[in-house]
Amino acid sequence: MEVSRGQDDEEAAYLLTPGSPTKGTLKHTPGKGYQCRPQISQYWGQYSPFFSVPSEVPDAVPPSCSITFAQLLSRHGARDPTASKTKVYNSTIQKLKGNVQRFSGKYSFLNGFTYALGADQLTIFGEQEMINSGLAFYHRYEKLAKQSVAFIRSSGEARVVVSAQNFSQGYHQAKTSGNRADATYPYPILVIPERDGINNTLSHGLCTAFEDGEPYSSIGSKAQQTFLATFLPSVTVRLNTDLAGVNLTTTDTINLMDLCPFTTVASPVGAFSPFCSLFTEDEWHHYDYYQSLGKYYGYGPGNPLGPTQGVGFVNELIARMTGKAVSDHTTVNHTLDDSGETFPLGDALYVDVSHDNDMTAIFGALGLYNSTMPLSNTSIRQTNGYSAAWTVPFAARAYFEKMQCEGEKEERVRIIVNGRVLPLKTCGGDSLGRCTLSHFVKSLSFAAEGGRWDFGAAIRVPNPCKWIVSRGIQLCRRTNYQLDIRYISLASAIKCQPENRGGRPINSHGILSPRYKRPLGIFRYFFGRETKVENPYNAG
């Protein structure tokens, strides 16, 4: 066993209490989501704003049953493009403006358009999406919410943390309607850092065979490129005909399609972007399928190692549903999950906020879309309910419920993804999409056995995954601008202090203001020691 010193610039998990994020007014309701031009806006893949997906089975609680447990797994709200993409999009706009003197017709809006999108952070629209999610969650599980406090976790990316805070604001708003008191607010949020070597079930990154190894790291992008060749060249030819002299490439074309959802969610009210009208409904359906290919083959069932990245969370879900300690050797952070304070069992309500790729992997580990045949990369085929827009839109909501019904000894489990009740065929789901708890847990043998976490050894991957088990963890709670430090299982002293990078404003809960498009500068920690252990399973 090798013991090494922790680096000064690493982050530990911490607890924070949220403030009051900026509000916005959206063209959607907390329950139904974004409903503007659904024939287009619900075909933007993972860039679609949350919307309620059609369900063959009503999502209402069946008569004579009552919900006893609810877990929400959520994606963060709508955001700006990533830092790398925002530069690319800006370049495409400059190319257009540099080669066309005057735009007319449906392109005329470009005459006055100036690229002003930020990078990585939530938009006001996205903040309100998560406030609405908190409202919806409280009202759906109001009986439980009146009796207990939801345990909330967030992965460490800034937009994810702020999303968790926005969710808690909406939840609190619902709970205090009618002048009801809520002495438990602001709610603590456990934030798990997204750093190399830190086990985090809400953010992939530990398995080098998956992250960097061929072919696993490129299956999704290759499937997308193959499919693009079937429809995008003709779209590009049309644009170049309309805009003589601009000489757009297929990459430019897909960038312009991306700008439709991103400029829509950049509007505080979700105003439908004129970029969207540059393309037909059929072209948007192809775009949605293109994005779905990226998720399915990048992180979902189409990638041999994709679902394995979600195994850790599934094992945590099993623990929460059964009240038993977590059994996992993959991505679970046992420093956190072995403590009742940072991974309590027996609670009724849990909320976890993560990313689209991680949710896709978790759905794969659960086997939720096993009935979907492998997606074709040459033509659009029936996906049996699977698409990126239906599964991981901005502010996606997956509800995992347990219910007790009269005359039945065992609780039943049901899963609802963005309003759609899933059939749960892997555990013998009934006509209402429910399995008994024991059958549900039994159906998760893939996760319980670690998925393919030892796959790297079998295929002799040169850089097998390693995991780091921290000897100490700190929980920092910021209350009334004062920082309290609590220690759990410390190997030696830990200092926890607020940090302000570059002199930029830090808000009342220690987070860089969402309006500043820079990474988190929340808390820096100094580990006395951490234990570095090579995974005995040669993780892959």
Side-chain angles (χ1 to χ4, degrees), residues 321-334:
M321 283 189 158
T322 61
K324 299 178 181 178
V326 179
S327 176
D328 180 83
H329 65 261
T330 65
T331 60
V332 162
N333 187 318
H334 282 283

Side-chain angles (χ1 to χ4, degrees), residues 385-433:
Y386 179 85
S387 78
W390 277 31
T391 56
V392 289
F394 286 132
R397 310 170 187 173
Y399 296 157
F400 302 87
E401 300 177 340
K402 285 197 305 179
M403 63 182 68
Q404 184 66 60
C405 301
E406 293 180 8
E408 297 184 359
K409 294 182 178 180
E410 190 174 8
E411 292 174 304
R412 291 185 177 270
V413 174
R414 184 170 62 168
I415 299 177
I416 304 170
V417 177
N418 301 316
R420 179 175 180 243
V421 178
L422 299 188
L424 296 188
K425 294 180 180 179
T426 56
C427 56
D430 63 14
S431 61
L432 297 178

